[in-house]
Amino acid sequence: MTRKLRRDSETPAPDRADGPSRRATILDVARAAAVSPATVSRVLTGRKPVSGELSQRVRRAASGLRYHPNPAAQVLLRGKHDTIGVVVPDLANPFFSEVLKGVTAGAASEDRQVLVVDSNEDPLEEHRGAMRLARWVDGLVLCSPRMPAALLKEVADTGTPLVVVNRGTRDPRIDRVLVDYHGGMRDLCDHLIALGHERVAYLEGPVDAWSEQQRQRALRAAGKRGLQVLGIPCGSGMADGYQATETALETQPTAVMAFSDYVALGALTRLAELGVSVPGEISLTGFDDIPFAALAGPGLTTATVRKAQIGDLGWRQLHERLEDHRKPGTVTVPSHLVVRGTTGWSRPSA
Amino acid sequence: MTRKLRRDSETPAPDRADGPSRRATILDVARAAAVSPATVSRVLTGRKPVSGELSQRVRRAASGLRYHPNPAAQVLLRGKHDTIGVVVPDLANPFFSEVLKGVTAGAASEDRQVLVVDSNEDPLEEHRGAMRLARWVDGLVLCSPRMPAALLKEVADTGTPLVVVNRGTRDPRIDRVLVDYHGGMRDLCDHLIALGHERVAYLEGPVDAWSEQQRQRALRAAGKRGLQVLGIPCGSGMADGYQATETALETQPTAVMAFSDYVALGALTRLAELGVSVPGEISLTGFDDIPFAALAGPGLTTATVRKAQIGDLGWRQLHERLEDHRKPGTVTVPSHLVVRGTTGWSRPSA
DNA sequence: TTGTATGCGTTATCAA
DNA sequence: TTGATAACGCATACAA
């Protein structure tokens, strides 16, 4: 026994008063235009030829019924989502929100949509979010993922094309967009060395972050050039920078280098509270050059990097991979030293 | 003549070498577990009773094949997307990225996903984005939408449940989350009045923004209390604040009030460049209390508002509406004066 | 408790 | 050029 289709119901309830009237389907349009659903589809997709006569009727009926195709049905049929996913550690961090802005701008320009997940700096949440998103999207951009390599592999194993931002990996299936943290940190260190600094405290970022490893690599290299660097466990938030600052001062440095501008701004707040003059007593550096770095009191010395470009490149790698089946590769974004007011000549207080 | 199903193909290509092996479907699992697809579905959804025996087999097969149900098929069948949409004017503006963070946090806590659109402050783009998203989501949160009422109505007409943040509307189908801009601006004005200010320039936000109208209402009221306010066309970006500042100074005010902190930080930059001392020669106020407001040089006097809470409330209204079919309503978020360093006694320079 | 069959809304294939 | 129909992958009503 065949169940009746709802639309074949004997009580059609024509134009029900105000109810949440069911969305029009292609069959409604077909009926209204007195053509077959296939013809409606052909008119609307515009791929196959249809006579002007019918085309008119269909268009009229479609707009009259406010018809728009059901994306879920299209996705099911075509296997394409027209959607990409982005996972970021913290949307409140201007670095990531600007990267995200870059991705969305690119995606929107090609009529793609963006699903976003904020992992709250939690590697497991990051992995869960990525795995869940993988079923909903054509491709995934993972920003500064902190998850272990094994979990990253698991994400890649879903078969969803993957772009990682600021994460090294040998997996040949994964595209990479990397910032030159090593070069940026080297320049910052040399800048401090030139100012006579010999002993600096470094507010460390998340240990799992690839970019953190790059920075530390540069710091070790600077050690050989005469800069003594003391690592202070910190984190990637403003609050982390705020809290780690006092510990950093206990090491009697003449300068504090922060993982990022976001962290540095937290540190700057604490330094002001403690009555430590910057750069009089202590110099301070950040990284990323977020828009507010320039405004902070003396203006933060940092390494600038084009954040929206990072997002745009992430989108482009994904797009080219999806459309042209290009092989994954790596693109590197440069960073440049920006000297502002938080760095000055070393004046050891001891 | 019936086309053969791909999975009934006579050349099954069992475990094809390395290719992008087709994702497992429920049928694959059913076959592997030697049960019917219905049973697989029952086990995985957990709604209907299944014997422990089969349940085991199914689970094993499913995880062995790394099976996850195809969301598109579920959406098509259930008519639910488990996804909501968020439209913001500018992701680079910390106010909006924090509101977005609030929404995503709420949505994630209930296993929903978030599609995000950045309209770049363009009302038409905003409308287009919302209309496109409407087909993909269960509900929509529009943050500070600037689109005309007619277009907003058009979005509501799609039938997609709608929450607007910081936008008034009489449409009874739309939920509202509103910040008390009027109260916040009143407090800021009174603060300036108490400091002896009589003539201030106001850097106006987007004319289409509801929140801008609320602010201007408060400014007019302050006019009756003796504060002369001169409107300076500006905008909602940092660059807008930067550029409008010089014009504002030409009106010889003793204080500048900005549409938002974001704008105020731009103004502060320009004031510093022009060598105008704050608050010595000019006092400055913002609105929102973004995290960087406290750090800017003297520390920005502003009205604070809980941004993540706004997002959370937006999510909750949507959620309750979707789950409990509650009627739309309005919730108002308070704002509180925060006096920092950018406001001081009026010292007319003229 | 389990299996069979059907439809969600769309597009592609085939026949006319 | 158009129309009928079969899939896409899943969850449910129904039969067993």
Side-chain angles (χ1 to χ4, degrees):
Chain A
M1 199 186 306
T2 301
R3 259 189 302 168
K4 289 210 172 214
L5 298 181
R6 198 163 20 145
R7 55 178 165 276
D8 286 342
S9 164
E10 327 245 326
T11 58
D15 247 18
R16 170 177 321 182
D18 237 353
S21 56
R22 185 176 56 86
R23 261 168 180 151
T25 74
I26 201 171
L27 278 176
D28 299 318
V29 178
R31 191 153 320 154
V35 296
S36 80
T39 298
V40 176
S41 177
R42 285 189 276 249
V43 170
L44 267 32
T45 62
R47 295 202 196 307
K48 309 274 166 150
V50 178
S51 72
E53 158 74 13
L54 291 195
S55 187
Q56 284 296 329
R57 288 222 306 268
V58 167
R59 264 181 239 287
R60 220 182 299 280
S63 70
L65 293 171
R66 280 206 178 71
Y67 169 76
H68 295 270
N70 181 328
Q74 295 178 314
V75 168
L76 185 56
L77 198 57
R78 307 203 294 233
K80 277 197 48 183
H81 296 261
D82 289 354
T83 302
I84 66 166
V86 179
V87 180
V88 297
D90 180 13
L91 276 173
N93 184 331
F95 177 79
F96 294 118
S97 57
E98 291 206 34
V99 171
L100 174 61
K101 190 177 171 87
V103 179
T104 57
S109 75
E110 301 273 352
D111 278 315
R112 303 300 200 283
Q113 332 198 61
V114 176
L115 273 171
V116 60
V117 164
D118 179 343
S119 71
N120 273 306
E121 300 276 357
D122 176 353
L124 265 52
E125 185 59 29
E126 188 177 66
H127 175 252
R128 287 201 338 165
M131 292 299 282
R132 222 157 56 87
L133 245 43
R135 307 277 317 168
W136 291 84
V137 302
D138 297 320
L140 224 37
V141 177
L142 268 35
C143 293
S144 307
R146 284 95 155 93
M147 71 181 87
L151 292 185
L152 186 59
K153 176 183 181 311
E154 205 177 301
V155 177
D157 284 343
T158 63
T160 304
L162 217 58
V163 175
V164 291
V165 171
N166 288 341
R167 167 87 183 216
T169 165
R170 297 192 197 291
D171 196 320
R173 301 167 296 180
I174 302 181
D175 271 301
R176 285 171 294 275
V177 179
L178 305 178
V179 170
D180 180 16
Y181 289 104
H182 186 276
M185 283 303 270
R186 184 199 55 221
D187 294 347
L188 284 165
C189 288
D190 287 347
H191 170 62
L192 289 176
I193 291 173
L195 289 171
H197 293 270
E198 297 177 343
R199 180 181 175 83
V200 313
Y202 170 60
L203 303 182
E204 298 174 346
V207 286
D208 309 316
W210 171 87
S211 71
E212 169 66 7
Q213 295 156 16
Q214 301 307 303
R215 283 177 251 237
Q216 298 217 5
R217 209 158 56 80
L219 291 173
R220 282 195 296 274
K224 295 178 185 154
R225 298 200 299 283
L227 195 69
Q228 187 187 355
V229 180
L230 307 112
I232 311 290
C234 178
S236 58
M238 262 180 49
D240 297 318
Y242 179 93
Q243 285 157 9
T245 297
E246 218 165 339
T247 311
L249 291 182
E250 286 167 8
T251 67
Q252 306 275 339
T254 62
V256 172
M257 303 184 74
F259 171 72
S260 69
D261 284 4
Y262 199 49
V263 169
L265 291 178
L268 193 57
T269 307
R270 189 66 181 132
L271 288 170
E273 275 182 16
L274 295 171
V276 178
S277 96
V278 176
E281 299 171 64
I282 290 279
S283 287
L284 178 67
T285 67
F287 207 109
D288 293 340
D289 192 28
I290 61 177
F292 313 97
L295 312 176
L300 188 62
T301 292
T302 188
T304 191
V305 54
R306 294 182 54 192
K307 293 155 287 293
Q309 186 190 29
I310 296 173
D312 182 59
L313 286 171
W315 154 252
R316 274 150 94 142
Q317 291 211 334
L318 210 45
H319 185 57
E320 289 172 12
R321 179 105 160 278
L322 293 169
E323 301 299 310
D324 313 335
H325 302 277
R326 183 188 46 62
K327 282 191 189 143
T330 301
V331 50
T332 299
V333 177
S335 64
H336 301 287
L337 178 67
V338 179
V339 178
R340 296 208 182 93
T342 55
T343 46
W345 294 98
S346 166
R347 273 174 261 173
S349 49
Chain B
M1 199 185 308
T2 300
R3 256 189 306 167
K4 290 210 174 215
L5 298 182
R6 198 169 14 148
R7 54 180 167 274
D8 286 344
S9 165
E10 327 244 328
T11 57
D15 246 18
R16 168 177 322 180
D18 237 353
S21 57
R22 183 176 58 86
R23 261 169 180 151
T25 75
I26 200 172
L27 278 177
D28 299 318
V29 178
R31 191 155 318 155
V35 297
S36 80
T39 298
V40 176
S41 175
R42 285 190 276 249
V43 170
L44 267 33
T45 61
R47 296 202 194 306
K48 308 277 166 149
V50 178
S51 74
E53 158 73 15
L54 291 194
S55 187
Q56 284 296 328
R57 288 221 309 266
V58 168
R59 262 180 242 287
R60 220 182 299 281
S63 71
L65 292 172
R66 281 208 177 71
Y67 169 76
H68 294 271
N70 181 326
Q74 295 179 314
V75 168
L76 186 56
L77 199 56
R78 306 205 291 234
K80 279 196 48 182
H81 297 261
D82 289 353
T83 302
I84 66 166
V86 179
V87 181
V88 296
D90 180 13
L91 276 174
N93 185 331
F95 176 79
F96 294 118
S97 56
E98 292 208 30
V99 170
L100 174 61
K101 189 177 172 86
V103 179
T104 57
S109 74
E110 302 273 353
D111 279 315
R112 302 302 199 283
Q113 331 199 62
V114 176
L115 273 170
V116 59
V117 164
D118 180 341
S119 70
N120 273 306
E121 300 276 357
D122 177 352
L124 264 52
E125 185 59 30
E126 188 175 68
H127 175 253
R128 286 203 341 169
M131 291 299 281
R132 221 156 56 88
L133 246 43
R135 306 281 315 171
W136 292 83
V137 301
D138 297 320
L140 226 36
V141 177
L142 268 35
C143 293
S144 308
R146 285 93 154 93
M147 71 182 87
L151 293 185
L152 187 58
K153 176 183 182 312
E154 205 177 302
V155 178
D157 284 344
T158 62
T160 304
L162 218 58
V163 175
V164 292
V165 171
N166 288 339
R167 167 84 182 220
T169 165
R170 298 191 195 292
D171 196 320
R173 300 167 297 180
I174 302 181
D175 271 299
R176 286 171 294 275
V177 178
L178 304 178
V179 170
D180 181 17
Y181 289 103
H182 186 274
M185 284 302 270
R186 184 199 54 223
D187 294 348
L188 284 165
C189 288
D190 287 347
H191 170 61
L192 290 176
I193 290 173
L195 289 171
H197 293 271
E198 295 177 341
R199 181 181 175 83
V200 312
Y202 170 61
L203 303 182
E204 299 173 345
V207 286
D208 308 317
W210 172 87
S211 71
E212 168 67 6
Q213 294 156 17
Q214 301 306 303
R215 287 162 166 106
Q216 298 219 4
R217 210 158 56 80
L219 291 173
R220 281 195 296 275
K224 295 180 184 153
R225 299 201 301 284
L227 194 70
Q228 187 186 355
V229 181
L230 306 111
I232 310 290
C234 178
S236 58
M238 261 180 49
D240 297 318
Y242 179 93
Q243 284 158 8
T245 297
E246 217 164 340
T247 311
L249 291 180
E250 287 169 7
T251 66
Q252 307 275 335
T254 62
V256 173
M257 303 184 74
F259 171 72
S260 69
D261 284 4
Y262 198 49
V263 170
L265 291 177
L268 193 56
T269 307
R270 189 66 181 134
L271 288 170
E273 275 183 16
L274 295 172
V276 178
S277 96
V278 176
E281 299 171 65
I282 289 279
S283 287
L284 179 66
T285 67
F287 207 110
D288 294 340
D289 192 26
I290 60 177
F292 313 96
L295 313 175
L300 188 63
T301 293
T302 187
T304 191
V305 55
R306 295 181 52 191
K307 293 154 287 293
Q309 185 189 30
I310 296 172
D312 183 59
L313 286 171
W315 154 252
R316 274 151 94 141
Q317 292 213 333
L318 210 45
H319 185 59
E320 289 172 12
R321 177 103 161 279
L322 293 170
E323 302 299 310
D324 313 335
H325 302 278
R326 182 187 48 62
K327 284 193 188 141
T330 301
V331 50
T332 299
V333 177
S335 64
H336 301 288
L337 178 67
V338 179
V339 177
R340 296 208 182 92
T342 55
T343 46
W345 294 98
S346 165
R347 273 174 260 173
S349 51

